[in-house]
Amino acid sequence: MKRSVLSILVIVSAFSIGASQDIYNKAKASLSGRDTTAAVTAFRDAVKAGQKVAESNYYLGSIAYVRHDIDSAIGYLEASVRADDENVDALKTLGDAYLKKNDIDNALKNYRSAAKEAPKNGEVSAALGYALLSADSVDASIIYLARAKESSPDNVAIYSALGDAYMKQGVLVLGIINYQKAAELEPRNITARFKLARALEKNKQYNEAVKEYDAVIAIDSTFADALFQKGRIYVLAKQPKKGVSALRTFTRLQPNSVEGAVLYAKAVFGAEDFADAVKASMKALELDSSSVDIWRIYAHSLVEIKEYKNALDAFGALQRRNAIKSEDQAKLGKAYFGLNMDVEALNAY
């Protein structure tokens, strides 16, 4: 008895499904063996065969993402989501890929879809929270980051992001609490500790801020921003001697920083190390000759080390800028006296 055409088609179809399934399984096996090249070929074949389309495209997208081929990743992942719009992993990875391209709108769209499908997924909530924070949707970001924290109570990145969100809100205390938790969980996390130091400084907890800057410097002695901020606190607190060392190191690390050169000159001058103040102010003026504060430090320091002629030139720079103050007159008079120019000295006084 002859088989019907329908029966033959059923048999062929079953064979094709089995073969396609074998292709997909072969792809998964290659992926497990970390042979991504073979996996990509097999997953593409599986897609062509029309089997496991959503899953195969998801894996192709994930491999492309890891390889930093973001455009290809987006193409595969979009295909995966079209085949199965409830695939949380595909939606999240697609959001990650759009975020890499700074396409916040599409990143948020896919993260929200993933969060809708898996509201208790901590990774999805965290990703959505980070993206909302990047988009300055601070209140919404806090909601999702707090949800993510419940799922991952030991995740340093979540506490750090919550700290960022509260700092943007201006709620310094909560920012500090979250940064402290991040630093507690990972004491050598230099980013978390620096953020904590900055938050403490903004909250006018200067002693605590300096301790955190010191902790950062202990981890990485070349962390220039921590050195600068520590030195700046001491200069503003009128304890310049304590800031000299940090600022000296900063200027070595960042020799072209005008702000650092100026602050270092102020520190050594305040510490009454006038010879170094001359050198530091000369360096600062090389970088930016417009600062009257540095011309003043330069002029006064030259008087203190008895380089009176150069001091007069420096005071001349202040005069040309209409920046001579009463505090300068006595030093100017001293410079004239040092050069035996008594009449000019008396006029200056």
Side-chain angles (χ1 to χ4, degrees):
M1 181 175 174
K2 293 183 179 180
R3 292 180 178 177
S4 68
V5 173
L6 180 59
S7 298
I8 293 170
L9 288 175
V10 168
I11 293 168
V12 171
S13 176
F15 175 80
S16 298
I17 291 170
S20 299
Q21 185 65 52
D22 286 342
I23 296 170
Y24 176 78
N25 289 335
K26 178 182 175 183
K28 288 290 294 291
S30 296
L31 193 59
S32 297
R34 299 185 180 182
D35 186 352
T36 55
T37 301
V40 166
T41 300
F43 280 129
R44 284 174 178 166
D45 289 341
V47 171
K48 288 177 184 176
Q51 294 297 314
K52 296 281 187 179
V53 172
E55 295 91 333
S56 295
N57 275 310
Y58 163 67
Y59 285 117
L60 286 166
S62 296
I63 292 168
Y65 180 82
V66 171
R67 289 177 172 178
H68 305 290
D69 184 357
I70 303 303
D71 289 332
S72 293
I74 288 172
Y76 287 125
L77 292 164
E78 288 281 13
S80 176
V81 170
R82 283 196 297 273
D84 178 8
D85 62 5
E86 296 179 358
N87 187 329
V88 173
D89 291 334
L91 288 164
K92 180 190 175 297
T93 309
L94 183 54
D96 294 342
Y98 275 119
L99 202 59
K100 285 283 186 183
K101 290 180 70 72
N102 294 317
D103 186 342
I104 299 294
D105 289 341
N106 272 315
L108 287 172
K109 172 188 169 184
N110 286 283
Y111 286 145
R112 286 189 173 112
S113 295
K116 182 180 178 181
E117 296 298 327
K120 295 184 179 180
N121 186 310
E123 288 187 9
V124 171
S125 295
L128 179 52
Y130 300 146
L132 287 165
L133 187 58
S134 296
D136 288 327
S137 296
V138 179
D139 292 345
S141 76
I142 289 173
I143 291 170
Y144 283 100
L145 289 169
R147 185 181 297 174
K149 184 177 70 172
E150 291 176 5
S151 301
S152 304
D154 295 330
N155 189 313
V156 173
I158 292 172
Y159 285 103
S160 184
L162 272 169
D164 293 344
Y166 284 120
M167 293 301 291
K168 280 190 175 184
Q169 273 192 335
V171 186
L172 301 183
V173 173
L174 290 178
I176 289 168
I177 288 171
N178 281 280
Y179 290 145
Q180 283 174 331
K181 183 63 176 179
E184 176 188 318
L185 288 169
E186 197 173 312
R188 293 187 66 80
N189 187 313
I190 201 165
T191 302
R193 300 206 74 155
F194 181 73
K195 286 180 177 181
L196 174 56
R198 292 288 284 140
L200 289 165
E201 186 179 348
K202 286 183 179 179
N203 204 40
K204 299 181 180 180
Q205 294 174 251
Y206 299 115
N207 291 330
E208 293 86 346
V210 167
K211 288 178 182 177
E212 285 303 318
Y213 287 131
D214 281 336
V216 171
I217 295 164
I219 297 167
D220 180 0
S221 62
T222 65
F223 199 106
D225 288 344
L227 291 160
F228 178 84
Q229 292 300 138
K230 176 185 175 180
R232 179 175 172 275
I233 287 174
Y234 280 125
V235 170
L236 293 177
K238 297 184 179 179
Q239 300 179 53
K241 283 186 179 180
K242 293 183 178 181
V244 166
S245 178
L247 291 168
R248 181 184 294 117
T249 304
F250 175 85
T251 57
R252 288 172 184 165
L253 293 169
Q254 303 283 344
N256 295 318
S257 169
V258 175
E259 195 175 7
V262 168
L263 199 60
Y264 178 53
K266 289 180 179 180
V268 288
F269 179 73
E272 299 184 356
D273 186 349
F274 299 115
D276 270 357
V278 167
K279 294 175 185 176
S281 53
M282 286 177 67
K283 175 61 179 176
L285 291 169
E286 285 176 14
L287 295 171
D288 179 10
S289 62
S290 66
S291 172
V292 294
D293 287 342
I294 297 303
W295 277 112
R296 180 166 290 108
I297 287 172
Y298 184 45
H300 285 226
S301 298
L302 286 167
V303 172
E304 294 297 334
I305 64 172
K306 300 181 180 180
E307 288 192 18
Y308 301 123
K309 187 175 184 306
N310 289 333
L312 290 183
D313 292 338
F315 281 118
L318 284 173
Q319 288 171 328
R320 288 192 295 275
R321 289 168 173 76
N322 296 316
I324 289 287
K325 296 182 177 180
S326 57
E327 66 193 77
D328 301 319
Q329 297 297 141
K331 292 294 181 183
L332 180 57
K334 186 174 179 180
Y336 280 129
F337 269 130
L339 294 170
N340 297 316
M341 300 170 68
D342 294 355
V343 174
E344 290 85 347
L346 290 171
N347 287 335
Y349 282 122

